[in-house]
Amino acid sequence: MSKVKAGIINVTGYAGVELARLLHQHPEVELTSVTGRSAAGQKLGAVFPHLSGLELTVEAALGEVDIAFSAMPHKESADVILPLVNAGVKVVDISADFRLKDAGEYPRWYGFEHPAPELLAKAAYGLPELHREQVAKAQLVANPGCYPTGAILALAPAAKAGIIGPDIIIDSKSGVSGAGRSLNLTTHYSEANEDVAAYALGGHRHLPEITQELKLLGLKEASVTFVPHLIPMTRGILTTAYAPLTSGKIGKGEQGKAELRQLYLDFYQNEPFARVTDSPPHTKHTWGNNFCLVYPTIDDRTGRLIAVSAIDNLVKGAAGQAVQNMNIMLGLPETTGLEALAIYP
Amino acid sequence: MSKVKAGIINVTGYAGVELARLLHQHPEVELTSVTGRSAAGQKLGAVFPHLSGLELTVEAALGEVDIAFSAMPHKESADVILPLVNAGVKVVDISADFRLKDAGEYPRWYGFEHPAPELLAKAAYGLPELHREQVAKAQLVANPGCYPTGAILALAPAAKAGIIGPDIIIDSKSGVSGAGRSLNLTTHYSEANEDVAAYALGGHRHLPEITQELKLLGLKEASVTFVPHLIPMTRGILTTAYAPLTSGKIGKGEQGKAELRQLYLDFYQNEPFARVTDSPPHTKHTWGNNFCLVYPTIDDRTGRLIAVSAIDNLVKGAAGQAVQNMNIMLGLPETTGLEALAIYP
Amino acid sequence: MSKVKAGIINVTGYAGVELARLLHQHPEVELTSVTGRSAAGQKLGAVFPHLSGLELTVEAALGEVDIAFSAMPHKESADVILPLVNAGVKVVDISADFRLKDAGEYPRWYGFEHPAPELLAKAAYGLPELHREQVAKAQLVANPGCYPTGAILALAPAAKAGIIGPDIIIDSKSGVSGAGRSLNLTTHYSEANEDVAAYALGGHRHLPEITQELKLLGLKEASVTFVPHLIPMTRGILTTAYAPLTSGKIGKGEQGKAELRQLYLDFYQNEPFARVTDSPPHTKHTWGNNFCLVYPTIDDRTGRLIAVSAIDNLVKGAAGQAVQNMNIMLGLPETTGLEALAIYP
Amino acid sequence: MSKVKAGIINVTGYAGVELARLLHQHPEVELTSVTGRSAAGQKLGAVFPHLSGLELTVEAALGEVDIAFSAMPHKESADVILPLVNAGVKVVDISADFRLKDAGEYPRWYGFEHPAPELLAKAAYGLPELHREQVAKAQLVANPGCYPTGAILALAPAAKAGIIGPDIIIDSKSGVSGAGRSLNLTTHYSEANEDVAAYALGGHRHLPEITQELKLLGLKEASVTFVPHLIPMTRGILTTAYAPLTSGKIGKGEQGKAELRQLYLDFYQNEPFARVTDSPPHTKHTWGNNFCLVYPTIDDRTGRLIAVSAIDNLVKGAAGQAVQNMNIMLGLPETTGLEALAIYP
């Protein structure tokens, strides 16, 4: 049987190039076309030596494919995706352009009027653990942001079970690759090394995604404070989420912790890429693979839920999840091409 | 005038050795005696090459000094300090043994009965920004923990002004030197590099210190969740603290932020080592010096205070603050020997 | 067809655990037994969370296998391997115990009398690029050291072609994982981070391996200075090798460089895991995969060869090369299970 | 007595800003003027928060000063320095514009005709350990490059004593700050982290400096191969230098090593900032201070000198050495303002 033809629009960022790596290793899909602006005309392996096994040239425009991944910046992504959707091509959008259901959020958070608000309802929010069925039916999947992936999966079981109140604090720590491949003083080695800082205290663009999904899970009044931090490592996001436990919904002390753990285990029991861990997870244990590790516990003294999640921001937080979504859209086993274990140490 | 004679008990940990560096550069004090167990008998410069300028031999027991610093582990520190206090020597204890006012906390958090509970009231909690006068009069100063220093200074102005409620989340990110010089798989390079994890989710020993001080500042009902994280860098602690703003105590929007900022500026206006920054602070800007950088802001959407602080865990979080306390105890200008700027990049 | 059964003796070091990762992903081999001393009785995934997909318990003694990998320390490895060899089991030894052909080198470099000197001639030195045929026929393969792999592959084409003289300098830079998982102050995070140093200036144990192979390649009078350095990263070895060009054997200027490059390209033309690069290689481009990247050039001013190689010390420098050797021993395609691209960034 | 007025031209690079830090802490000098192009008009502390203690505004042109430091790029530095020299101002040039005595080297290595070749003879090459007297008399001092500082000090005693032959290999490993503050993909965090590579294999600009000084030390036929490497840390250069020992000039075995060591000890016996170490030096032991640590040994098997040096590239390799030169030019004790110990860990 011939392989599915896949293409990547704007392959030259870290998400795009990680997608190329994963698709190259995918047994059912062939990466046949990659685009990029500044690098157009160059061999992919000349720009990214670790991809020199791929015999591809970066093109200015996408060739004919069965499924396209867009790694364009927001707004530009919608512009390039709309003709593809109209042409019947399946699309996974790694940008934010189809993540928010409310078109009114785009001017506020992204500074542009959405060009196709009617598509927002049809696009699936590609967090398979929550929306697998919609993804399976969708022609267009909005791949979640890296922070929302970790934050939502940390809180989803508790939110769904109705055991937490709406006052939620999400404190995330991201490796520097999350800031992309574009040059910036913040991500200059000597500035980012041996340093940590919070950023986007006025509101990060990933907040509305997180809030949207928590509300869908049942937390109608969700009042979320989300603070991301940049820490000196390349890959990984650790998210520590805090929420008050609703009185009486869960036991006290060790029993409460056991109930909570069981609730998480049940929620993720059939999930191939979400694993509830016995102890607080390390991002290192997800390095290069598609897992989200989740650890819930209770702060006995204060009656708060503390839920910690770890992902590789470029895999489960971007390219790996995109492949997972593609597998679902194509009716392939969800783990195809994503079986790699984390690389340790 | 002859210099004050100072000694360090257990110089061989990171706090002890940093103290040796700072005291060596102090114009009014002479480091005359350092002790250590395994290293006893060796030249200090043989164990720590960066200190080879100091002509000191590690001793088994402390020589005669005017002021002693103890960098012993908890419990052992009290044991070695008591005779010194009885002998009239001034002491700065870098361990936790005299930080908590309630002797009943020691069995719970540190697993031992306090050997001298009557001294707890006499010992000053050596956070000069809060207890300068007590420090000035004290014979025994309990140098605060690294996390409490950053956490308390982040919240003190707001707590004192009564503008926040008691539900407090403190999320701290520490460089690996905070875990000490003793060997441990967690701090083995290949394990700690390119990794981040939360730890002590069941309750970190620094929590009671933080709570004690927040209550003293007026937050009688303080209900604190504190989660520390280890991140891949050597020095620095960034603390992100979250608390609900008490309704009506502070304005809305930009005006509220300006009022908040002014409140912090006023609180720290005469402080030589606490600086309110214009933007979220970077630990890099405290590398090697005694500053605590604090940035308060308001999350408009949720009405929460977000206060971020940055310190060098080995300086303001340990040895530098110990020297600052010593200066106060000796009646010296508080910044003596601590004028060094941060080293950047 | 049933899979080949493989076992790992002493799985708990970094080479052992990397081997477990690679074998788990190997389509023709099943990892059925792993041993370890301190961890015996524990689930492998409990000790190494990234391996929790493997349903294996660490055992005290190896189960019945078709091929065994020993990741034991030197001397102990020979002790455990000899009975296996006598029992007809194929063995890849990751230790140094069968790398040196001259039994007299063992007391000198490793401090023990070799227990089975007659086996040294029969064991193949498992650098497939040089000894593929011997590996294919061998029952016992000595997997090369990490430094020798990079050093020998950097110099082999030039040595074989007779274009360099015997005065060779090899300067290697290794990530910290090369120093193993055992705790040591040198590899304590706060000591190794932001630091670089040379070590083993009196002679590193990998020197006799390098010399042995260079002599076999034709450099009978090889006089090698080898200095390893530890640099602050987890994985990777970069080797920079220097040798005088033999007068008249190769052209001048750009022509000479082109001849040299062609000579390297020819030497490695059929090699699946050695690639001659267009520019000086980065270890990052081998992160997690089995490639050795080699870049030869000429220092025009001095008439010297400079050859640089990059490997992942735990893959091509240890576990990946062991799998490559296994593939050859089993008659499988050499790249089976080793197709993964490097993970970037 | 009023302080000497000092100025920094182009303060905004890493060398410039480190100079500002050091001069601010200098007891005899006052930093009164700093210039910068893009940052002109801004408070220095707004651009560099760790310098917010300095009440200086970045200016477009230098104010009136007694001594000026130029941290301009090459060629531009000469342009800005010439008028100052003509006006009688003392100048320390951190650029390369006055380091090479042979004007003919400038077109070849730096791509410009030297605008004032007659000044090259008058300018002192500011490596105090070799040219202290010239520095003391000079109006214009050329501050050495970072790599040459480490390389020359590693080899100087041996070169001067005539115990080594001319075939010299210098392999240097530099932290990323040596590549400057300008943005570049090579120094983008996610690219430079967890990576090492050699660069400038065709010839680095610091080579002629090194060769010039080695020849002055007596190695008339010096044939130097110099290969720099970038390693993932912020500060520090480790240089490993290799040279054949001249037959009969030094003893064999341990006796030879002892003679060599004594020769180095004698050479540096009165040097405040060069220290011969007992074991291979770590760059960490120079972090933030002005020392060059040197360790010489003999590779017995091959009869080669191996000399290793460690410096902080921004201090002894740039700003610290500039202050040392200034002290000498002003007749101050050479260590004034440079007494800080290295910061460890």
Side-chain angles (χ1 to χ4, degrees), chain C residues 21 120 149 209 279 287 337:
Chain C
R21 180 179 74 88
L120 294 176
T149 295
E209 265 181 71
S279 56
W287 219 98

Side-chain angles (χ1 to χ4, degrees), chain B residues 155-179:
Chain B
L155 289 167
K160 184 76 178 177
I163 63 168
I164 53 173
D167 287 318
I168 291 172
I169 308 284
I170 296 171
D171 187 296
S172 292
K173 299 90 183 160
S174 175
V176 179
S177 66

Side-chain angles (χ1 to χ4, degrees), chain A residues 108-109 166-173 185-186 189-204 207 223-227 229 231-240 242-243 257 280-285 287 295 297-299 301-302 304 306 308 310 344-345, chain B residues 108-109 166-173 185-186 189-204 207 223-227 229 231-240 242-243 257 280-285 287 295 297-299 301-302 304 306 308 310 344-345:
Chain A
R108 187 175 165 194
W109 289 100
D167 286 319
I168 291 171
I169 307 284
I170 296 170
D171 187 296
S172 293
K173 300 89 183 160
L185 191 60
T186 303
Y189 182 87
S190 300
E191 306 283 328
N193 187 39
E194 283 289 302
D195 189 33
V196 52
Y199 69 102
L201 290 175
H204 187 281
L207 174 59
S223 168
V224 182
T225 293
F226 165 55
V227 178
H229 301 75
I231 63 173
M233 59 186 212
T234 301
R235 286 176 178 237
I237 291 178
L238 192 87
T239 293
T240 315
Y242 307 87
K257 288 179 197 171
H282 289 246
T283 55
K284 185 179 282 287
H285 297 149
W287 219 98
Y295 178 76
T297 191
I298 296 170
D299 182 12
R301 288 169 205 84
T302 62
R304 288 186 191 118
I306 306 174
V308 186
Y344 158 93
Chain B
R108 185 175 167 195
W109 290 99
D167 287 318
I168 291 172
I169 308 284
I170 296 171
D171 187 296
S172 292
K173 299 90 183 160
L185 192 60
T186 303
Y189 182 87
S190 300
E191 306 284 328
N193 187 39
E194 283 289 301
D195 189 35
V196 52
Y199 68 102
L201 290 175
H204 187 281
L207 174 59
S223 168
V224 181
T225 294
F226 164 56
V227 179
H229 301 75
I231 64 173
M233 59 186 213
T234 301
R235 286 176 178 237
I237 292 178
L238 192 86
T239 294
T240 314
Y242 306 87
K257 289 179 197 172
H282 289 245
T283 55
K284 186 178 282 288
H285 297 150
W287 219 99
Y295 178 77
T297 190
I298 296 171
D299 182 12
R301 288 169 205 84
T302 62
R304 288 185 190 119
I306 306 173
V308 187
Y344 157 94

